[in-house]
Amino acid sequence: MNLLPDLFSMKTAWRDARSQLGSLLLYCGGIVAGVAALVAILSFRSDVLLTVNDQAKELLGADLEISQNEPYNSRLQSVIDSIGGEQARSIEFSSMVLFRVSGDRPGTGPSADHEAADRPASGTEATRLSQIRAIEGGFPFYGEIKTLPPGAALEYQAAGTALVDRPVMNQFGLQVGDSIRVGSEWLQISGIILEVPGESAAFSLIGPRVIVPRNVIEGTNLLDRGSRVQYKTWFRFGGDGGNDLVDGTRTHPSDEVHMQELASVIRDAVLDRRISVTTVASRKEDFAQVIDLLAKFLGMVGFIALMLGALGVASAVYVYIKRKSTTVATLRCLGASSKQTLYIFGLQIAGLGLAGSFAGSLGGLLVQRFLPLFFSDFLPFDLIQQISIPALLLGFLTGVIVSFALAVLPLLSITNIPPLLTIRATDFSPLAHVPKRIKVSAGLAIILLLMVILTVLLESFFAASLFVAGILASLLILLGTSMLFVRLARMLRLKSFSYIWRQGIANMFRPNNQTAVLVTTLGMGMLLIGSMYLSQEMILQRIEFQTGGNQPNLIFYDIQHDQTDDVQEIAERNGAKVLENVPIVSMRLTHLNNQPVREIRRDTARTAGTWALTREYRITYREELNDAETIREGEWVGRSEEIGSDVIVPVSLEYRLAEDLDVGLDDRLTFDVQGVPVETRVASIRDVDFQRPEPNFFVLFPAGVLEPAPQFYAMSLRVPDKESIVRLQQEMVRAHPNISAIDVGLVLESVQAFLDKVAIAVQFMALFSILTGLIVLASAIAISRFQRIRESVLLRTIGASRRQISGIQFVEYLWLGTLACLTGTLLAIVAGWLLAWFFFDLVFVPDMLALVIASFVVIGLTIAVGFLNFLGVLRSKPLEILRAEG
């Protein structure tokens, strides 16, 4: 059986399409937008992975990195000494830094006078919680710390100076030559940090980076017990020489495979699971996972745009075939078989998919060039861009398959057009005559095909299933809403309305109307953008909600026992109200139900999480629960006996920690409290709201047990205004430089800045859905152009003015855009409410003003697109139009 089309079918398909090629190409505009989004995202992912592979050593800055959050013990130090190679060390932690403008020095360049005028006065001081990097040695071994002036990163260790992040330099009006105080040491700023290998610009939003020589920090009191400190050692191995480890293993560090083996040998030799050993290969894997997640998320947005475009093509094909019903019937009368007529229009539809996918692929390459602009703040390197053939092929084939698959059902209706239609004057609907079993089979086949494509894109069948289910649910709701509206419009009696309004609303349910598909596509675009915006706002609302009222807006931590009275006095002197002074004790888990943690980690049948078994716990004690805590199971015991040989302390665990440890009520946990074993039992399991700014803890001890243990404190305060916060921090860092502070308001601003950057990138991709909806709108208007022209000519013939016809079209487009935006916005609000209820645990208060503004923009674009497409009809004379349309 020959399935290829014959020469007659191909010639007829071309001749029929040639006279209306422009309109046919417009129909596939939605496919162009969807494929462009998909190709751009897949190409962006390919570019990032290519760059990571090319610059992997620069991302790590070394061949190997060993890190631990406490000073190295003798065994680990001996292993490090035996590894050999060139080494560099660092101590990294967060601490308050005092920035001082030392004086007005003459600048260089034409803007020197202007900069001097804007510069703060000499002696001005400011404080910020900063990320301190105390480095010794030639790190980074690969890549470079880029600074102004250039080369400052090569001299700061010998000169005993500091490198400071550009954002904080700009914030406080600092210049090279000004001073900072870290702990008790004053250092001159010798360079401004522009880039650090392996870190993006967004990294500085957490806190400004300050790089100093390691010997400056080792002589301060910033590393007292309780301080959060990360110790790192970097290695570079040159040539093919090997190195001897403790067990005699010899390896060639220049080979990534051997570096992975070296990392395993180090872990086995140290026998301490708290250390982290990172290689170039593992850093590449970590980065690839993050990029994969981003690409999959954005890929889903692009796929939705493609789906909407394909849906628009399917609807356009249906109306197109319905319009061509008489032509098909005539061909049948002239002897063409149903197979030939199917081929004629099938070739046209296949051509649409191919043309749209090809144009979309080229458009995707163009978007690929500009996409990095939206993600530059999150990438720790300059992107290497090239044409990705796999991305192009996958985007192109996905566009062709999806567009043709969704057009199959309307295409199959051609075989149901009877030859007698040539002499019948009736509004024939071919799809209504397709057998139900064929419709069901085609629908299931389309869903299965979409599942396969999404599984390839997302690399997860489960995620693909959920995504397809969500798309189908949203589409059905939008489609049902549009059908309901059409029915209501048909039932309305608008006698009190003007003729223009009555006719415009009646156009919503005229023959060949596109109400359903337009409401669905534009509504889906509004749903996407609205959901993303509301999610972003809820994150900020969550933080603002927890920081309002009488909640703390400043937190001091790493307060030593002998400093608490003085810290409280300084705080009260500056008008602050001390809300809570929380003692914190550091400890580690050693046994779980009398089984050593080391044995549990070797047991593959156990489900306890590694982080929960090996982390250093920072724990407090008190008699009462606070407002952020709620008991789920068991009973809270607020006081216990002092530690003794037969005392088992009742403790409370946060429920997620209990799940990770795989423990329940009355299970036993043994903690090592700085050398003293403490036996505990799980007396209760709690919910803890970690979003609140006050200190909260995974494990809570009762009072009466940990008071004699070495501890430090965290103090939460409510300060009346920003000026008082600044003044209090400055006085505190002078009096006690080891104490760090969290300015909750500043943290909120940083989070908002970060979310704004993410939102711009994500909403840029979501705009493809709106673009697709508008293109589908233009396509739908074009494909029903003949029907509109007939109506316009009839109205013009019986005396209607251009103003009346324009008014009718305005009313129709206004209703179309309004209905689509209203439905999409309502769905976005429902999605936002579900997120607020089940995920953010908030009372949902949507930003209706922003949603209304977005809706007005989309409605305006809908009206504009409609009028641009209909402009030629308004300007032409009725007789010219009738002649042109034949």
Side-chain angles (χ1 to χ4, degrees), residues 455-505:
T455 301
V456 172
L457 291 174
L458 302 179
E459 299 176 0
S460 169
F461 178 79
F462 179 72
S465 303
L466 290 179
F467 191 65
V468 169
I471 288 178
L472 289 176
S474 300
L475 289 177
L476 289 174
I477 292 173
L478 288 165
L479 190 60
T481 303
S482 63
M483 294 172 66
L484 177 63
F485 178 79
V486 169
R487 180 167 295 184
L488 290 174
R490 193 186 295 270
M491 294 170 58
L492 287 176
R493 299 291 182 264
L494 304 174
K495 294 180 180 180
S496 60
F497 284 68
S498 67
Y499 168 75
I500 290 176
W501 279 86
R502 292 200 308 272
Q503 185 68 18
I505 293 175

Side-chain angles (χ1 to χ4, degrees), residues 562-584:
D562 58 353
Q563 296 175 324
T564 53
D565 291 341
D566 191 40
V567 169
Q568 184 164 342
E569 181 183 341
I570 293 172
E572 292 174 348
R573 188 167 62 241
N574 284 273
K577 178 183 179 182
V578 177
L579 302 180
E580 195 175 14
N581 190 27
V582 182
I584 300 174

Side-chain angles (χ1 to χ4, degrees), residues 257-321:
V257 175
H258 289 99
M259 289 303 298
Q260 292 289 76
E261 295 174 356
L262 174 60
S264 299
V265 170
I266 293 172
R267 295 187 188 98
D268 294 338
V270 175
L271 298 177
D272 189 342
R273 300 298 177 181
R274 291 171 291 183
I275 71 164
S276 172
V277 184
T278 306
T279 65
V280 173
S282 63
R283 177 60 58 90
K284 283 198 298 186
E285 291 174 4
D286 293 342
F287 205 90
Q289 288 178 356
V290 174
I291 293 302
D292 275 342
L293 289 174
L294 176 63
K296 287 173 183 177
F297 172 72
L298 295 178
M300 288 191 292
V301 177
F303 188 79
I304 287 178
L306 177 58
M307 279 282 297
L308 296 178
L311 186 65
V313 169
S315 176
V317 167
Y318 173 69
V319 177
Y320 177 69
I321 289 173

